[in-house]
Amino acid sequence: ATSVAFILLPLVEMLFRLTSDITLLEMSDLNRPLLRRMQLEAPGTYHHSMVVGSLAEAAAEAVGANSLLARVSAYYHDIGKLAKPEYYAENEPASSRSRHEKLTPSMSALVLKSHIVEGLEMARRERLPRAVRNSIPEHHGTMVMAFFYHKALEADPGARREDYSYPGPKPRSKETAILMLADGVEGASRALAEPNKRKERPQTDG
């Protein structure tokens, strides 16, 4: 009966667009080809994904969402960066200058958007479950790439906001919404000059 269940499980998942915990546990194996590639070719992105996975898992547990799905989605949400890992801050050596300094803001925006398209293509080739694939376009939603948008406005006040926005869609599940927040928190904390310094709360009257 167990053997029959394992044989039928992929068919049931495909027919009903479900993703079982068994499949998610298989996807969480860090020795899977995509994750191994990330370790070797984009180590900064790999570390980022692991940290985001831990944050997303804890947050999902706290609000009653699927913590396993949140963690596994975090592992794969940035696989598209494997196409051009050197253009993402987490993979840049601290001593080197950003490659974006040589690009126009519009070209930088296209490069950043490309990791969504590349990621979806990789996910299809690797036959990742739909629930995990959804994390790739949804973890940025339709957010604006603020740095490059403001840089473009300095050169051209008529720059269009939508040209510097991710294509979306916005998160459609608790898990991808949590992933979006965890991704932003990890990125912001990494950008802090002194991340360990505690700031005193201002004194207020009363």
Side-chain angles (χ1 to χ4, degrees):
T2 303
S3 299
V4 172
F6 273 102
I7 292 171
L8 292 178
L9 184 60
L11 295 175
V12 173
E13 290 186 354
M14 184 175 65
L15 287 173
F16 295 98
R17 296 187 175 183
L18 300 174
T19 304
S20 69
D21 285 351
I22 293 174
T23 297
L24 291 173
L25 285 170
E26 290 176 356
M27 300 297 302
S28 70
D29 181 0
L30 300 183
N31 287 312
R32 291 184 68 89
L34 271 178
L35 298 181
R36 288 298 298 274
R37 272 192 66 195
M38 200 183 297
Q39 290 179 48
L40 297 173
E41 299 174 30
T45 298
Y46 176 80
H47 180 262
H48 160 75
S49 299
M50 295 300 109
V51 174
V52 171
S54 296
L55 291 172
E57 182 178 37
E61 287 176 355
V63 300
N66 187 331
S67 58
L68 179 58
L69 174 58
R71 175 163 61 87
V72 174
S73 295
Y75 287 176
Y76 293 90
H77 77 287
D78 271 344
I79 55 174
K81 291 181 179 180
L82 282 167
K84 300 181 184 72
E86 66 276 11
Y87 283 92
Y88 298 91
E90 67 267 23
N91 297 311
E92 295 174 352
S95 58
S96 69
R97 299 175 65 180
S98 171
R99 290 174 180 262
H100 289 280
E101 292 182 13
K102 298 180 180 180
L103 302 179
T104 62
S106 60
M107 183 57 68
S108 291
L110 287 174
V111 170
L112 296 188
K113 285 182 185 181
S114 71
H115 88 277
I116 303 296
V117 177
E118 297 282 359
L120 286 171
E121 181 58 32
M122 289 180 187
R124 291 189 189 98
R125 287 202 304 266
E126 296 295 325
R127 297 183 179 179
L128 299 189
R130 181 182 297 273
V132 176
R133 290 204 310 267
N134 288 343
S135 69
I136 296 172
E138 293 179 24
H139 79 275
H140 282 306
T142 56
M143 289 192 299
V144 177
M145 294 167 244
F147 177 81
F148 295 113
Y149 178 51
H150 292 304
K151 189 175 178 181
L153 285 175
E154 291 175 3
D156 177 15
R160 301 195 314 157
R161 182 185 179 92
E162 51 268 34
D163 291 339
Y164 296 87
S165 299
Y166 285 101
K170 295 178 180 179
R172 295 173 290 185
S173 68
K174 288 181 182 179
E175 291 76 20
T176 51
I178 289 169
L179 175 57
M180 173 188 278
L181 293 171
D183 185 61
V185 167
E186 196 283 333
S189 64
R190 187 164 21 87
L192 292 174
E194 297 180 36
N196 295 320
K197 184 176 180 179
R198 293 176 61 88
K199 295 183 178 180
E200 294 183 3
R201 295 180 64 181
Q203 297 294 322
T204 57
D205 293 335

